[in-house]
Amino acid sequence: MIVLIILVLLLAAAVAALLFRFIKLRRGGTAAIVRVMPRSSGSGWRHGIIRYGDNTLVFYKLSSIKPGPDSRMSRQGIDVRSRRSPEGSEFDIMTDDIVILDIVDNDSSFEVALDSGARTAFLSWLESRPDERSQRRRLG
């Protein structure tokens, strides 16, 4: 009997976590496909939602029950190294109009696949970041 109660409580906790995550994702964001590098060709891609903040970009995987974001990138630390089109097996989950950006955030490396509208929004958000020198002057 105690085992059954524990199993029901665990099931209720899992359902609550999924419901919380679903509500959090329904609040909006930009659809993206992200993978943490290094990965072998075509593997490791995760569908999700990215949200822009003043100083950070957060990524929520669609298939996760983690209450918070699965990845976080600092706006000041992001550097776009290159862009490319999908290749080989990546076409199984992507279309021709998607562009994959190779991004470095301090010590982490990511690839982010975005359609043209999402790419424009991302690059605009990134290019409009305040200059590090102006931030130091304001703090001092």
Side-chain angles (χ1 to χ4, degrees), residues 18-89:
L18 285 170
L19 186 60
F20 177 77
R21 182 73 170 203
F22 178 73
I23 291 169
K24 198 160 188 83
L25 291 177
R26 296 274 302 162
R27 290 186 191 158
T30 302
I33 308 171
V34 175
R35 73 174 171 174
V36 179
M37 298 302 289
R39 292 290 173 119
S40 62
S41 177
S43 70
W45 289 104
R46 299 292 176 250
H47 290 319
I49 301 289
I50 55 175
R51 290 204 184 121
Y52 305 103
D54 289 338
N55 298 314
T56 58
L57 176 142
V58 292
F59 175 70
Y60 294 90
K61 288 186 220 174
L62 291 180
S63 62
S64 174
I65 61 170
K66 182 179 176 185
D70 295 288
S71 298
R72 186 179 304 268
M73 298 177 213
S74 167
R75 188 176 188 182
Q76 291 298 332
I78 294 175
D79 182 32
V80 178
R81 291 192 297 193
S82 65
R83 58 182 78 192
R84 65 178 179 85
S85 297
E87 302 167 344
S89 65

